[in-house]
Amino acid sequence: MDNSFRNHSIHHLRNFSADKEKFDYSDYSILYSAQSEIVLYLHEKEIKVAPETFFFIPPGVEYHIREQYKNAFIFTFKKELFIDRLELMYQITNGYLFKNKEGLAIKNEFLPYEQIIKYYYLPVRKRGVNKLIRKNNLINFIEFILIRIFISKDPEIEEHSKNTHEKELIERFLFVIKEQQQFNFNMNYYADQLNVTKRTLDNAMQAVFKTTTKRYVVNKALEQAKKMLEGSDIPIKNISIELGFSQESNFNNFFKKHTGLTPRQFRISSIEEEDLSYIDFKN
């Protein structure tokens, strides 16, 4: 199945096969070594990652794993995964964790291995747990680790509190998005709502999110559409209306353009897809 439309993925290194599985180098990547020492190849350079370490790899950097490791894993994500979390998204795109092309190792002093099992593994091991619950549990895990590291480790944390004007404007923009629910793909509409020019809004978006206003709105609309398609049996026509599309065909074209699948194909694939499998910590 083509997973290009996903905004996150997880690779378990216990059963990892370099011949079959490929990492998405365009995403942000975090290796968690768990109880193993990992040999990671970054630009073909061998790097040893100590046990109980998070290793952060920025987008665009190629890396490889050539062996299998008990319990360790790599998860990748696009920044849009945290599109509703302004400060966290700002830290991901501007903070120090993903700046180094050689990667950055941070010792896990935040969440002991046993607690990862208790709070993020065991709750989703029960048969019949909803796939969305599994996904949200993984997102919560990523968010917890990132926030704890940013708060306690980032030497530039005060620097990130600057750009106050831009951040205030974006906060207002996010409020408009949240309150109106429906999406408008003419960015002048949002600029008018905020009493600024489109250029001012775009400049603020670049400063905070390193993206354009339209790209943000598109990603937000796609994220909302995916949640509704995966988590409900609401007719696609009703979803298209709720998101602000005048016709179902317009929504179909929009969704397929950005994901490669029609809304119906996406819904079917999400039903047929196997539940997200977590690490086997037992052996």
Side-chain angles (χ1 to χ4, degrees):
M1 183 187 302
D2 180 8
N3 294 329
S4 60
F5 58 86
R6 293 186 179 181
N7 55 19
H8 75 285
S9 64
I10 185 168
H11 302 266
H12 299 178
L13 301 186
R14 177 176 181 174
N15 302 311
F16 182 77
S17 171
D19 295 330
K20 296 180 180 179
E21 298 189 58
K22 302 296 181 183
F23 302 117
D24 189 342
Y25 305 127
S26 67
D27 290 350
Y28 294 85
S29 300
I30 304 175
L31 163 67
Y32 172 51
S33 61
Q35 298 177 329
S36 304
E37 179 180 76
I38 307 297
V39 178
L40 177 72
Y41 294 89
L42 206 69
H43 306 296
E44 298 303 324
K45 176 183 177 182
E46 181 180 299
I47 297 175
K48 292 185 178 180
V49 181
E52 282 302 331
T53 299
F54 295 107
F55 192 83
F56 298 84
I57 306 172
V61 175
E62 293 192 11
Y63 58 90
H64 306 279
I65 298 289
R66 296 176 183 171
E67 301 178 41
Q68 296 179 348
Y69 296 95
K70 178 181 178 180
N71 299 335
F73 65 93
I74 288 177
F75 50 88
T76 66
F77 63 92
K78 302 183 187 301
K79 62 183 180 181
E80 288 78 19
L81 186 64
F82 301 102
I83 204 164
D84 289 326
R85 300 160 177 85
L86 175 61
E87 284 296 333
L88 184 59
M89 193 169 177
Y90 181 84
Q91 297 284 357
I92 289 169
T93 56
N94 297 277
Y96 82 120
L97 286 182
F98 295 101
K99 281 186 176 179
N100 192 343
K101 296 296 184 181
E102 300 300 319
L104 178 66
I106 299 289
K107 189 70 175 176
N108 178 21
E109 300 171 344
F110 317 102
L111 195 65
Y113 178 79
E114 293 77 14
Q115 290 189 26
I116 292 177
I117 296 175
K118 180 178 180 180
Y119 295 114
Y120 294 98
Y121 171 70
L122 293 179
V124 296
R125 288 295 294 174
K126 297 178 181 178
R127 185 179 299 276
V129 174
N130 186 277
K131 180 164 66 81
L132 287 178
I133 295 177
R134 296 180 186 270
K135 175 182 176 181
N136 289 333
N137 214 48
L138 175 62
I139 292 174
N140 291 339
F141 173 68
I142 298 173
E143 183 175 10
F144 175 83
I145 295 302
L146 291 177
I147 290 175
R148 288 297 302 271
I149 291 176
F150 284 134
I151 291 175
S152 62
K153 296 288 185 179
D154 192 344
E156 301 176 355
I157 194 73
E158 293 183 2
E159 189 68 21
H160 297 324
S161 65
K162 296 181 180 179
N163 301 322
T164 303
H165 174 72
E166 288 85 354
K167 291 170 68 176
E168 287 179 353
L169 177 57
I170 296 307
E171 289 280 10
R172 290 166 52 208
F173 168 68
L174 294 182
F175 180 79
V176 170
I177 291 283
K178 182 178 180 180
E179 286 296 299
Q180 297 190 355
Q181 296 183 341
Q182 292 187 334
F183 296 94
N184 192 309
F185 299 100
N186 181 345
M187 298 306 106
N188 286 314
Y189 168 81
Y190 293 108
D192 291 342
Q193 291 285 304
L194 298 167
N195 294 316
V196 298
T197 66
K198 179 179 177 297
R199 174 175 291 185
T200 298
L201 180 56
D202 275 332
N203 288 342
M205 290 297 296
Q206 286 291 346
V208 175
F209 288 152
K210 303 299 182 185
T211 190
T212 65
T213 309
K214 184 161 188 178
R215 184 67 177 171
Y216 183 96
V217 173
V218 167
N219 285 329
K220 182 67 174 175
L222 288 171
E223 189 70 18
Q224 183 64 23
K226 291 174 190 176
K227 288 179 181 178
M228 297 176 73
L229 289 166
E230 285 182 319
S232 74
D233 57 0
I234 301 173
I236 292 175
K237 179 178 180 180
N238 291 17
I239 292 177
S240 68
I241 294 173
E242 187 165 340
L243 293 176
F245 292 89
S246 58
Q247 297 182 20
E248 182 179 349
S249 59
N250 293 339
F251 174 55
N252 288 339
N253 293 337
F254 168 83
F255 195 88
K256 186 171 184 178
K257 175 182 177 181
H258 294 286
T259 68
L261 298 174
T262 66
R264 192 173 305 279
Q265 289 171 332
F266 178 85
R267 172 170 274 174
I268 292 173
S269 70
S270 69
I271 295 173
E272 294 177 345
E273 176 186 309
E274 293 184 3
D275 281 349
L276 188 65
S277 59
Y278 276 57
I279 301 172
D280 185 353
F281 288 97
K282 295 181 180 179
N283 298 312

